[in-house]
Amino acid sequence: EDKVVQSPLSLVVHEGDTVTLNCSYEVTNFRSLLWYKQEKKAPTFLFMLTSSGIEKKSGRLSSILDKKELFSILNITATQTGDSAVYLCASAPFPNTGNQFYFGTGTSLTVIP
Amino acid sequence: DTGVSQDPRHKITKRGQNVTFRCDPISEHNRLYWYRQTLGQGPEFLTYFQNEAQLEKSRLLSDRFSAERPKGSFSTLEIQRTEQGDSAMYLCASTRGPLTDTQYFGPGTRLTVL
C-alpha cells in the first residue's frame, strides 16, 4: 500500500531554534517529493525535490531528498513565530501512470516567542 | 494569474441533501485535482482531470461523489445524499501540466453536514 509518513506529528520550539521535519515514503512510480506549509487555510507550496542529494534552499528553509532511503527532510533554522503551521509532504507520480498524489498527515510546528 | 478560486467557501447542509462545489483553476493550468481534508489529516485525493478528461478517481470514493470538468476549465464536485461523515474541507488544486508537479491550492470549501 502506497503511503507517506511524517514525523514528528507535532513539535513545540522556542524562537531561534532549528527544527528538522521528516518525511518517508513508499510509493509506486515515485517521481518527486513536495513540501507545503499550511496555516489556517489551503496549503502553500515550499519545495519540489526530484533529484537525490541536491539541497533546495529558500531563506531559512532547506530540504533534501534521499531516493535510496526513501525519505526527505525539511530544515528550518532560526525559527520565528510566523513559522508556526502544519508542514505537509506529498509524493508525486510519473505522469500518466495512473497513480495519485499522496500526502502525509503533516507535522504541526508551534514556535513560542 | 488570479490563483485558484473555489465557491462557496462555506456550506452547511442537512443530511440527505445534495451539494455542489465549484473550482476555477489558474487559467493556463490543464490539470485539476480535488481533495478532501479533515482535521489533523493531510489532504486525501478524490479525483483529477486533465483538461476535460477525468483520469483517475480514488477507489475509496463513494458513488455519491461525482465530478465534472465539461469544458476543461472550471470543475464541479457534487455530493449526493450527504452524510455527516462528508463534513470536511474540500480542496481544489491545479497544475500547469503532467510534467509539472507543483500544485496550487484554492482556499477550499468547508462543508458541514448537520
Side-chain angles (χ1 to χ4, degrees), chain A residues 3-17:
Chain A
K3 60 182 178 181
V4 174
V5 178
Q6 293 187 246
S7 64
L9 291 181
S10 64
L11 200 52
V12 180
V13 300
H14 289 94
E15 265 192 321
D17 288 350

Side-chain angles (χ1 to χ4, degrees), chain A residues 31-32 36 38 42 98 100-101 104, chain B residues 33 37 42 45 56 101 103 106:
Chain A
R31 182 168 83 163
S32 58
Y36 288 86
Q38 186 173 29
Q100 57 188 268
F101 285 67
Chain B
Y33 299 79
Q37 188 176 27
F45 170 81
E56 187 162 351
D101 294 335
Q103 296 191 340

Side-chain angles (χ1 to χ4, degrees), chain B residues 74-110:
Chain B
F74 73 91
S75 175
T76 58
L77 176 69
E78 181 183 17
I79 310 174
Q80 296 182 325
R81 305 181 303 281
T82 51
E83 302 173 357
Q84 287 186 323
D86 297 331
S87 296
M89 176 73 84
Y90 289 83
L91 295 167
C92 173
S94 70
T95 64
R96 188 177 296 274
L99 298 181
T100 305
D101 294 335
T102 305
Q103 296 191 340
Y104 295 89
F105 282 84
T109 294
R110 181 166 296 284

Side-chain angles (χ1 to χ4, degrees), chain A residues 4 25-34 49-51 65-67 70-72 90-94 97 99:
Chain A
V4 174
Y25 62 92
E26 291 180 33
V27 178
T28 308
N29 291 321
F30 172 86
R31 182 168 83 163
S32 58
L33 193 290
L34 299 98
L49 303 149
T50 304
S51 300
L65 175 67
D66 185 329
K67 294 174 78 171
L70 308 183
F71 78 91
S72 174
S91 66
F94 279 96
T97 59
N99 292 99

Side-chain angles (χ1 to χ4, degrees), chain A:
Chain A
E1 181 186 348
D2 293 334
K3 60 182 178 181
V4 174
V5 178
Q6 293 187 246
S7 64
L9 291 181
S10 64
L11 200 52
V12 180
V13 300
H14 289 94
E15 265 192 321
D17 288 350
T18 293
V19 297
T20 298
L21 310 182
N22 303 293
C23 175
S24 64
Y25 62 92
E26 291 180 33
V27 178
T28 308
N29 291 321
F30 172 86
R31 182 168 83 163
S32 58
L33 193 290
L34 299 98
W35 283 96
Y36 288 86
K37 178 182 181 181
Q38 186 173 29
E39 297 168 271
K40 294 187 186 299
K41 50 186 178 180
T44 54
F45 172 76
L46 295 175
F47 296 110
M48 183 180 77
L49 303 149
T50 304
S51 300
S52 197
I54 298 175
E55 184 181 52
K56 291 211 170 180
K57 294 195 74 170
S58 176
R60 297 175 294 103
L61 277 68
S62 64
S63 185
I64 196 162
L65 175 67
D66 185 329
K67 294 174 78 171
K68 182 179 178 183
E69 300 297 330
L70 308 183
F71 78 91
S72 174
I73 60 172
L74 175 68
N75 281 318
I76 308 175
T77 59
T79 51
Q80 303 172 356
T81 55
D83 295 328
S84 296
V86 173
Y87 290 84
L88 296 163
C89 69
S91 66
F94 279 96
N96 303 318
T97 59
N99 292 99
Q100 57 188 268
F101 285 67
Y102 290 97
F103 279 81
T105 56
T107 293
S108 177
L109 174 65
T110 303
V111 181
I112 300 171

